[in-house]
Each structure stands twice: as structure tokens, then as C-alpha cells.
Amino acid sequence: NPKLSAVKQLLSESSLPIEDITAQHLHHFFGCGSGLELEGLVGLELYGEVALLRSLAVAASRRGSGVGSGLVAHAERHARDQGVQSLFLLTTTAEKFFLRRGYTRIPRDEAPAAIKTTSEFSGICPTSSAFMVKYL
């Protein structure tokens, strides 16, 4: 799957987890770029009224150009259109980026059950990760 390969390559270059990414995930992944050359990527895992924002990655050559902000805004609109009310994420490196976009840090034990069972929450992301939410 060339799209899956391109997604995994950009995530790897951005030091983001790829071990749980399957073709199934790509239904709610959004990328930008030309052809198979991905410049940026963001993913959603939808669980009814809650969702996990994950895998935000921007190619090194495009960082600081607004690609990440645009992708997050697109993912938020898509989540809202799907009935999501609370968008959660885990990050080790981008807490300030998300704070500037209206996310707040909350204790991990306040995570809804659906989010706690994701592989990102339950094992892949370190417990030191910032756990954040934005209410749409």
C-alpha cells in the first residue's frame, strides 16, 4: 500500500509511533503534499462523541509554514462533522503548539474509557506524555 508506506515514512522521520498504524486507520487520516510526497499528516480515531487526534507530522522542510495548524483545523472540522464533542491527544514534544490552539492539559485519569483503550494511550505513548483535550 503506497499511501500506508508514505504515512509510515513521514511518521518515522518525525519520531512518531507507527507500530499500530494499519490501512484501516487511513480512513480518518488527512495529508497534504503532491503525489506520494507527503508534506504533512494528521490522524483521527473516532469513538462516538470522543476522538483521539494522533500522528500530527510535518516534513522538516515545511515546519513553521502553517501546514500543521491547517491540518489540525481540518481534523477538528472533520471530527465535529462526525459528532465528536471532545478531542483528546497525547504529546511529548508539541504541548505548546496545542495550547496555542485551544487545547488544555488534563490528568490522564480523566480520559474517557474509549480513549484509555487505544494503543496510543495504553502503551505506545509514554506516561510522561502531556494528555490534552479540546472541547469542540
Side-chain angles (χ1 to χ4, degrees), residues 4 8 26 33 43 53 69 85 94 99 101 119 122-123 131:
L4 187 60
K8 287 187 170 186
L26 300 185
L53 181 83
S69 297
Q85 295 177 7
L99 284 170
R101 282 149 190 86
S119 51
S122 62
F131 182 58

Side-chain angles (χ1 to χ4, degrees), residues 98-115:
F98 286 107
L99 284 170
R100 289 193 303 268
R101 282 149 190 86
Y103 290 78
T104 17
R105 190 165 182 167
I106 60 170
R108 285 175 75 99
D109 58 14
E110 289 182 22
I115 299 298

Side-chain angles (χ1 to χ4, degrees), residues 52-101:
L52 183 70
L53 181 83
R54 59 166 299 165
S55 306
L56 176 64
V58 175
S61 63
R62 301 290 289 141
R63 291 191 186 133
S65 68
V67 169
S69 297
L71 285 166
V72 169
H74 181 81
E76 290 171 356
R77 282 192 302 274
H78 180 75
R80 198 177 300 116
D81 289 346
Q82 303 298 312
V84 171
Q85 295 177 7
S86 306
L87 192 52
F88 295 88
L89 64 90
L90 292 146
T91 182
T92 54
T93 58
E95 184 175 0
K96 288 186 173 114
F97 173 89
F98 286 107
L99 284 170
R100 289 193 303 268
R101 282 149 190 86

